[in-house]
Amino acid sequence: MKKIIKTKPLNINDITIIDDSKLKKAITAAALGNAMEWFDFGVYGFLAYVLGHVFFPTASPSIQMIAALATFSIPFLVRPLGGVVFGLLGDKFGRQKVLSMTIIIMALSTFCIGLIPGYVTIGIWAPILLLLAKLVQGFSIGGEYSGAAVFIAEYSPDRKRGFMGSWLDFGSIAGFLLGAGLVVLLSSLLGDAMFYEWGWRIPFFLALPLGIIGLYLRNALEETPAFQQHMENEAKNDADKPDQPKLSVKELMAKYGHSILICTGLVVVTNVTYYMLLTYMPSYLSHNLNYSTDHGVLIIIAIMVGMLFVQPLIGLFSDKVGRRPFIIAGSVGLILLSYPAFIMINSDMVGFIFLGLLILAVLLNCFIGVMASILPAIFPTNVRYSALAISFNIAVLIAGITPTVAAWLVEESGDLYMPAYYLMFIAVIGLITGLKMKETANKPLKGALPAASDRSEAKEILSEHFDNIEQRIDVVDEQIKELQEKRQNLIDQHPKIN
């Protein structure tokens, strides 16, 4: 028999009023860290051909690129470990403290890449040190996106969580754009000789000042309202039940298995599309299609500028129509349009190349525009950071091999449409996940009380809450009526019960 849990009536003072100035600071601090993460991804993706030459000079050009992309992908192996460590710390000590740790580790490891001598100078130690720096970076990133998404979600009013969350991946695109743009600018100013010799190091050096700014912003923030509320409740519970055990990682996986699967599916389809478009495509255009590197990069940059404008609009509309429609539309779009998009990309005509990439970019916006608002809402406050970090990084481990696998598939098969088939296959996972997930828009986070922008909105939320209770009472009354009729029908069929 299902246990009925009695809860006290919700009143206006139970609804958290979010301070607008603190919310803006939280979004800025969280988005900056994410921007730095994707700044490195942008730099690394657009420098793959240079890094292959610097760190793997004895290999053929094809193997150089695959080796450089593999060095990008291998660190994803340690991201789940980073997710477990930082996730557990975040659920125990708070989101703000852990995010301050991850951003400085990420900045230092990225800075160190710029210090590593090339293969010609120190031989095999060059790629080894590159890999070590990327592993440390991957470990810190394991707690970065998940923590930033949780931070923004727990600071956002329920009715604006989609719009506010969309700025996190706005930071991703902006960081990627900054990295890619910087590579183009430096290569143009310095010329190939100087750029190959030392110019490629400059973007990695910039990570340190960015990290220091991010650390300053994050240290200035208070802990999220939802986590503060959770800690107050924990203190009361600990006083009543001091020996209450915490969930282990294994128990976490068992108890929230369905939510973890939903999270994993969403992250896989989002990040495979992300890495395919923004990390692999620059190399695909220059290496496989023999397209001018500068022209290819400029097209990708133009696409990303367009994505910046679309990103917050997707988040805003998701607060009106829900998050699920965008996940389903993006997945169906990839299934139907990936192949036509690659036909355009392979047309050798600038207009069609741009259009093919634009199609993929808009479909990517459908995912990233809602991702930061969906994922934290799947899990309750007490395990939100750890559960999200674990499932997110398991999924990213799968998605992170996308550039390497795509390059290998094209190289082995000779089929330039392999990336399209790859996207279509992954989109099926996205479609199934979108159909199976529950809508999270305009609802309080699990384990947290409702949050509003102001008292007027809080009154509206309270009124809607009471209306919902009344509707549920009407449904229960109707079910009782039907059961009474069934009961009477059964009584009428029994000769001794009358």
Side-chain angles (χ1 to χ4, degrees), residues 255-268:
K255 186 171 183 179
Y256 299 102
H258 179 264
S259 297
I260 287 172
L261 283 175
I262 293 294
C263 179
T264 303
L266 291 173
V267 176
V268 165

Side-chain angles (χ1 to χ4, degrees), residues 271-347:
N271 282 47
V272 165
T273 310
Y274 214 140
Y275 295 143
M276 187 70 79
L277 177 63
L278 300 183
T279 302
Y280 175 64
M281 287 311 296
S283 298
Y284 179 84
L285 289 172
S286 60
H287 179 75
N288 296 108
L289 302 185
N290 298 314
Y291 194 69
S292 166
T293 301
D294 290 340
H295 287 172
V297 167
L298 290 174
I299 288 176
I300 295 287
I301 288 174
I303 292 292
M304 287 190 290
V305 171
M307 290 176 69
L308 283 176
F309 290 98
V310 175
Q311 176 71 9
L313 293 177
I314 297 286
L316 181 64
F317 286 131
S318 77
D319 285 326
K320 310 297 182 185
V321 302
R323 328 284 193 222
R324 290 179 73 240
F326 287 99
I327 298 298
I328 293 169
S331 299
V332 171
L334 280 179
I335 292 170
L336 298 178
L337 299 177
S338 290
Y339 190 79
F342 270 84
I343 291 176
M344 296 179 193
I345 291 168
N346 281 271
S347 68

